[in-house]
Structure formats: structure tokens, C-alpha cells
Amino acid sequence: MKKKLILALATSMMVILTGCGSEQTSNTTQEDIVNGVFTPSESINIIIPYEAGGNSDIPARIMAQYMDEATETDIKITNIVGAGGRTGFEEMLKSDPDGYTVALHSSGFIMQHALGIAKFTPTDAEPIGYLIDSSMAVVVSADSPYQTMDDLIEAAKATPGEIKMGSVTGTLPLFGILQIEQEKGVEFNKVDLSGNSKAPELLGGRIDGYLDGFGAVKQYIDSGDFRCLGIIASEPQVGYEDIPTFAELGFENYAYLKQDFGLWAPKDTPEPIVDYINNLISEASENPQCIEELQNISFKPKHTETTQYVEDLTANYAAFGEAAQAVIQQ
């Protein structure tokens, strides 16, 4: 009987790990590829470069569980945290290109690259494909005078630099605020909430609104504490179809602001291996139970062919690079 998904407990990255990977050699790759088909002979380890139980970890584990069901081998999870995710991801980059170590890549890394923090790009690895995605949302308090996004925009135009929008410097929500400012010709008072939880700041009236992942604000929308003015997406959020999307609100350049996650493999990983893991993502993404579990936490599986994924990554790296100039000038 197929063994269940092996969930390795979160581990903190230690200096001792930095010496292993690039010096290793392996014959496994050639032995496990026959007639252009990869047949794994050992467990596939997915490095999640964020803490166990977090907003990135939980949906990735759900997908890994259903990928595990689609293969005769085991899919393992290892959490290696540190440096905004770069520690774990760079450990993957040093690993052998044999198909047994891959890592979760987030849109946050593209943003870090645009700001000169993360050095790696798709040319430094072998992107495999999307895994999961979620959308950001714009929220205000339930007693806010802004009933709609148009209300917020009009008020920002009337009082430049006065409406307080919370974010954290160098994060995706800040890029979202900057994109709204650019497209609508407005200026917010961008309040840096580094070290502070966003929800209490809004509940306490210290800010007028903020952007965050829909999953992070969903409980406050459901409780009636927050009003959601818009979701940064082209398709409605399942179960919240009454909340307008940015497409419906007339925004244009927002696609790069998706909270996308994908899987990457070390540079020079053979194509049959990339295809094999991409196919596991495809099978998991079509599993009704997987879809339901992810929807319950406001995520959804996402699958494309590798070539499309690389095209999207290239476009997103360019978009973030352009948007980063506004951050640098802050």
C-alpha cells in the first residue's frame, strides 16, 4: 500500500548544511531515466523555505499530499527557514540535479530580486511549474466611510497623502499600494507596519486600510469587522463573488501581484524529471479533494506547462523590476 506523505518537522538552517550539495555527485539521474522517462527510486524532497504551519507552508503541504498520492515514491517536506526564505531556497540550488530535491518558489523572491536582495533568477535553476496561488485583497474597517474602491480612490484624490494604508516595506502589499497609486493617480500615506500585526492596527483605527492575502483577512470579512473593497485578481474569489475583482474595477497592470507559488529544481535537472514532477502537480490540481481543501483556506491549485510558467516568471521579474523603482524612491 502506498505510504502516506512523510512530513519532516521544520528545521532551522545551520551552517553545517552549506557545505553539502554542490560538491556531491550522483549517478541516480542516469540510472532513473530510461528511454526519456523518469522513474524515481527514492523520495522526492520539497524544501519549503518558510516556517511550518505558516500561510505558505499549509497550502503547499496540501498539494504535496495529493502529489504523493499520484506517485509510487514518497513526497517529503522539509522546512528550512531564514533570510526571508532565501536560506532554504539556496540550499536547493546547491543540491544535485537528480530530481530528489526541489523547492517552493514564491512571488516574494521575485520582489526580493527587484530590490537587489535575492540574486537568483529562472536562469539559475530549472523552474518546474506553478503549484498554488492566492489573491490579495484591499480591506477597510466595517465602519469606514469608504463603501467601495471608487470611494477610496476619490477620497485619496481629494486629500493626497492623508489616507493611511498599512503595509510592510519591501513586501507584496506595498507593491500593491504603489500600483493603485500609479494607475489611479493618487497618493496614500503609506504606514510601515514592520513588526506589527496589520489587523489590530486597522481594528484600532490607527490605519484606514491595508492589503493582504485574502486568506489572512477572510476571518475578519466573515466576522463583519472588515469590508473588502476589491480582490487583486481577474476571477472572483469562490464564495465571495459579490466582492469586485481588480479586473471588474478597471485596473490593468495587476497580474504580477498574485501570490503565486511554484516548484523549482536545481540547474541542469534533466527535462524528463521536470516533466515528471510537473505531471504530479497536474494530477494533484485536478483532485476534487485537493481543490476543496485549498478552497477552505482561500487558496487554489495552479498548473501550467513548464514553458508557460517560465514565460510568466520572465514577465513577472520584469514587472517587479519596474515597480521596484517606486519602492527605491520612497
Side-chain angles (χ1 to χ4, degrees):
M1 180 180 292
K2 180 73 176 69
K3 289 184 289 184
K4 295 295 184 180
L5 172 65
I6 300 173
L7 300 180
L9 294 178
T11 58
S12 296
M13 184 63 180
M14 301 178 68
V15 175
I16 190 172
L17 289 176
T18 62
C20 40
S22 58
E23 299 298 323
Q24 297 175 347
T25 59
S26 173
N27 294 321
T28 308
T29 299
Q30 297 304 319
E31 293 174 353
D32 292 353
I33 298 177
V34 179
N35 295 325
V37 177
F38 176 59
T39 304
S41 60
E42 57 185 88
S43 299
I44 297 173
N45 182 40
I46 299 176
I47 295 175
I48 296 181
Y50 305 105
E51 64 182 12
N55 291 334
S56 302
D57 177 78
I58 292 175
R61 283 177 181 261
I62 291 173
M63 279 294 287
Q65 174 186 339
Y66 290 96
M67 290 170 63
D68 181 82
E69 292 184 3
T71 178
E72 290 302 315
T73 192
D74 289 304
I75 305 294
K76 298 197 302 183
I77 295 291
T78 302
N79 296 83
I80 301 178
V81 302
R86 296 186 300 281
T87 301
F89 197 82
E90 289 170 357
E91 185 63 23
M92 177 278 294
L93 294 175
K94 296 183 295 182
S95 299
D96 290 330
D98 56 14
Y100 298 112
T101 302
V102 298
L104 186 72
H105 179 276
S106 76
S107 54
F109 289 141
I110 309 177
M111 181 177 53
Q112 289 179 16
H113 180 269
L115 296 173
I117 301 170
K119 304 302 181 183
F120 47 83
T121 71
T123 60
D124 299 310
E126 301 296 338
I128 296 172
Y130 284 114
L131 189 70
I132 48 177
D133 77 2
S134 181
S135 300
M136 287 197 299
V138 182
V139 294
V140 296
S141 63
D143 59 1
S144 169
Y146 315 124
Q147 298 291 322
T148 67
M149 181 65 75
D150 285 342
D151 290 344
L152 179 66
I153 297 301
E154 290 305 314
K157 287 181 178 178
T159 57
E162 291 190 16
I163 296 176
K164 298 177 181 177
M165 295 295 288
S167 67
V168 176
T169 300
T171 63
L172 194 61
L174 176 58
F175 277 77
I177 293 172
L178 292 169
Q179 187 62 47
I180 294 172
E181 289 183 324
Q182 180 180 348
E183 283 205 37
K184 299 302 181 181
V186 298
E187 180 185 356
F188 295 112
N189 179 355
K190 294 175 283 295
V191 180
D192 186 4
L193 299 179
S194 299
N196 297 324
S197 297
K198 297 174 185 176
E201 295 296 306
L202 182 54
L203 291 169
R206 291 179 288 277
I207 57 175
D208 298 304
Y210 70 92
L211 278 66
D212 208 348
F214 188 84
V217 298
K218 176 179 177 294
Q219 61 177 313
Y220 300 102
I221 297 172
D222 291 344
S223 68
D225 291 308
F226 288 177
R227 179 183 303 124
C228 184
L229 302 184
I231 297 175
I232 305 181
S234 57
E235 298 178 358
Q237 184 73 31
V238 175
Y240 297 84
E241 288 79 6
D242 58 324
I243 300 176
T245 65
F246 264 39
E248 294 169 330
L249 292 168
F251 286 88
E252 297 179 356
N253 302 316
Y254 59 86
Y256 74 100
L257 296 169
K258 291 283 291 181
Q259 290 188 307
D260 287 323
F261 296 85
L263 290 183
W264 287 25
K267 182 71 174 175
D268 297 325
T269 296
E271 185 175 346
I273 294 175
V274 172
D275 290 344
Y276 182 87
I277 298 175
N278 183 282
N279 185 64
L280 294 183
I281 298 172
S282 176
E283 293 200 34
S285 69
E286 295 173 358
N287 188 305
Q289 290 179 297
C290 180
I291 295 171
E292 181 179 0
E293 285 191 44
L294 287 171
Q295 283 182 349
N296 288 339
I297 56 173
S298 299
F299 276 82
K300 61 182 179 181
K302 184 171 185 178
H303 172 261
T304 61
E305 297 301 322
T306 300
T307 52
Q308 183 62 59
Y309 180 49
V310 173
E311 288 180 12
D312 289 353
L313 285 171
T314 301
N316 287 343
Y317 268 86
F320 269 107
E322 182 178 344
Q325 297 307 309
V327 177
I328 293 171
Q329 294 168 8
Q330 295 297 308

